[in-house]
């Protein structure tokens, strides 16, 4: 299922289908993209970049990997995998895109779960992120996944070719998503709920805001409908100082917090955190 098994990648310059030839992906107009030694491809042309090194930095990526590898978010990925398994029950062949996959924890976990439980299905899975360090790390996790540097604004996949798009704590681009989604295809959004990591935020900030996920009022005009909303809420149990440090580094909190707030959090020996997550399932009509 690595890049050679994914047949719906599109040239980011002209939208033509990309074919594999001699460690390159090429379109009929002669645009070519090298496959890195680690097995991923960079489909983010300079004209789609809004900064020199877009997306998460290497430090953020490593902190996220170390944090997620402790398994503390396993109930989140497990519920997500369950939802996907239910959706694909009647499909033999499908394409799944993890849009904003980061360092690939969720993509890898889900693919291993689906492969173990749905052995007769033909799955093609793409992990897409705008951060090159993130995709570089992701490619080490699982050689079966097609790892791509690119943007959710214009995902480099053919129109109407993806069955399910996951966007886990990621940058949501409904315009980009709906174009590549098949009619009847689904988007699963995983977003922080109002009490997500509240104990840590109370230490960092003097005024903690309880924000709900964005209202999806504009969906109908884009041919998308909200099918289901589900909340998941659990306590992590004690998280040690290393994990607190990683969690701070991988989220905007580290940069948003003032000096005192950051210091107070970094001095904690441990903390028991609330994970409050909202799953929303959208369908393209
Ligand atoms: C909060 S992280 C979530 C990563 C992963 N889904 C997870 O939960 O572990 C957000 C990710 O979105 C990526 N990102 C930001 N803007 C993006 C864009 N326009 N297109 C694709 N990825 C983007 C970042 O590089 C980062 O890896």
């Amino acid at each position: 299922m690595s890049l050679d098994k994914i047949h719906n990648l599109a040239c980011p310059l002209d939208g033509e289908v990309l074919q594999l030839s001699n460690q390159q992906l090429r379109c009929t107009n002669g645009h070519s993209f090298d496959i890195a030694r680690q097995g991923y491809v960079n489909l983010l042309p300079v004209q789609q970049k809004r900064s020199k090194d877009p997306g998460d930095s290497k430090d953020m990526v490593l902190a996220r990997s170390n944090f997620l590898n402790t398994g503390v978010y396993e109930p989140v990925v497990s519920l997500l995998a369950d939802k996907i398994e239910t959706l694909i029950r009647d499909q033999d062949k499908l394409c799944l895109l993890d849009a904003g996959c980061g360092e690939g924890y969720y993509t890898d976990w889900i693919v291993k779960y689906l492969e173990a439980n749905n052995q007769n299905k033909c799955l093609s899975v793409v992990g897409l992120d705008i951060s090159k360090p993130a995709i570089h790390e992701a490619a080490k996790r699982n050689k079966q996944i097609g790892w791509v540097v690119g943007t959710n604004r214009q995902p480099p996949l053919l129109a109407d070719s993806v069955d399910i798009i996951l966007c886990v704590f990621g940058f949501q681009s409904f315009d980009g998503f709906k174009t590549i989604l098949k009619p009847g295809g689904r988007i699963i959004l995983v977003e922080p709920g109002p009490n997500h990591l509240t104990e840590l935020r109370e230490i960092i900030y003097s005024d903690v805001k309880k924000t709900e996920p964005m209202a999806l009022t504009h969906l109908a005009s884009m041919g998308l409908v909200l099918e289901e909303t589900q909340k998941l809420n659990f306590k992590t149990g004690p998280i040690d100082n290393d994990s607190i440090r990683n969690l701070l580094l991988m989220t905007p909190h580290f940069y948003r917090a003032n000096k005192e707030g950051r210091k107070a959090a970094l001095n904690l020996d441990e903390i028991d955190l609330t994970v409050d997550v909202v799953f929303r399932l959208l369908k393209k009509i």
Side-chain angles (χ1 to χ4, degrees):
M1 202 208 303
S2 52
L3 286 170
D4 55 337
K5 308 253 171 53
I6 292 167
H7 305 294
N8 58 341
L9 288 177
C11 175
L13 300 171
D14 57 23
E16 293 293 317
V17 63
L18 289 171
Q19 309 273 9
L20 184 70
S21 123
N22 294 331
Q23 281 304 293
Q24 282 191 327
L25 288 173
R26 285 179 161 274
C27 78
T28 46
N29 292 324
H31 302 122
S32 63
F33 305 88
D34 291 341
I35 297 184
R37 192 165 36 86
Q38 297 77 8
Y40 66 87
V41 66
N42 190 335
L43 298 180
L44 185 70
V46 69
Q47 48 276 51
Q48 287 181 10
K49 284 187 175 187
R50 298 186 168 197
S51 63
K52 186 167 167 283
D53 296 310
D56 282 8
S57 66
K58 190 171 176 186
D59 285 350
M60 291 171 83
V61 167
L62 295 180
R64 177 167 295 113
S65 252
N66 289 332
F67 180 79
L68 292 172
N69 286 343
T70 64
V72 78
Y73 276 12
E74 198 161 308
V76 179
V77 69
S78 169
L79 180 57
L80 183 56
D82 241 38
K83 286 187 176 297
I84 297 167
E85 195 177 26
T86 307
L87 287 174
I88 68 173
R89 196 175 288 145
D90 299 326
Q91 279 172 277
D92 295 331
K93 191 167 181 265
L94 69 138
C95 175
L96 184 81
L97 167 70
D98 188 355
C101 63
E103 49 67 68
Y105 170 82
Y106 292 86
T107 340
D108 172 48
W109 203 103
I110 287 163
V111 165
K112 287 180 177 146
Y113 176 90
L114 294 178
E115 284 191 339
N117 297 296
N118 302 271
Q119 282 164 1
N120 50 353
K121 291 198 194 291
C122 173
L123 288 168
S124 90
V125 181
V126 177
L128 176 74
D129 201 282
I130 204 165
S131 154
K132 194 168 159 192
I135 290 296
H136 190 94
E137 274 311 296
K140 295 182 194 163
R141 280 201 187 266
N142 193 325
K143 303 285 176 208
Q144 301 304 309
I145 293 165
W147 299 108
V148 178
V149 180
T151 176
N152 286 0
R153 289 182 200 277
Q154 289 152 274
L157 287 121
L158 298 177
D160 297 340
S161 72
V162 177
D163 294 273
I164 299 179
I165 299 175
L166 312 177
C167 188
V168 184
F169 304 118
F171 172 76
Q172 300 171 358
S173 165
F174 295 110
D175 265 345
F177 294 169
K178 74 151 198 278
T179 306
I180 59 166
L181 208 55
K182 288 180 187 171
R186 303 313 212 291
I187 303 172
I188 307 180
L189 305 175
V190 181
E191 301 160 287
N195 293 313
H196 192 49
L197 309 179
T198 189
E199 300 80 359
L200 188 61
R201 291 189 291 133
E202 276 164 8
I203 289 168
I204 297 177
Y205 306 114
S206 47
D207 178 25
V208 176
K209 298 198 169 48
K210 296 200 173 213
T211 4
E212 294 282 349
M214 185 182 64
L216 298 173
T217 44
H218 55 305
L219 285 184
S221 62
M222 292 197 283
L224 297 167
V225 283
L226 176 64
E227 280 196 320
E228 183 192 296
T229 300
Q230 186 179 347
K231 297 184 180 200
L232 174 69
N233 197 297
F234 63 94
K235 293 284 272 192
T236 57
I239 293 212
D240 67 11
N241 181 273
D242 276 351
S243 286
I244 297 168
R245 191 171 287 269
N246 287 328
L247 186 55
L248 280 173
L249 268 177
M250 71 186 234
T251 59
H253 297 309
F254 189 77
Y255 303 96
R256 279 191 203 142
N258 64 25
K259 207 168 144 199
E260 289 72 39
R262 210 176 306 164
K263 195 168 162 206
L266 289 174
N267 280 340
L268 291 168
D269 287 332
E270 58 177 42
I271 192 168
D272 189 2
L273 289 173
T274 298
V275 175
D276 181 26
V277 178
V278 182
F279 291 74
R280 292 194 284 184
L281 178 67
L282 316 181
K283 184 175 182 178
K284 177 170 166 177
I285 40 177

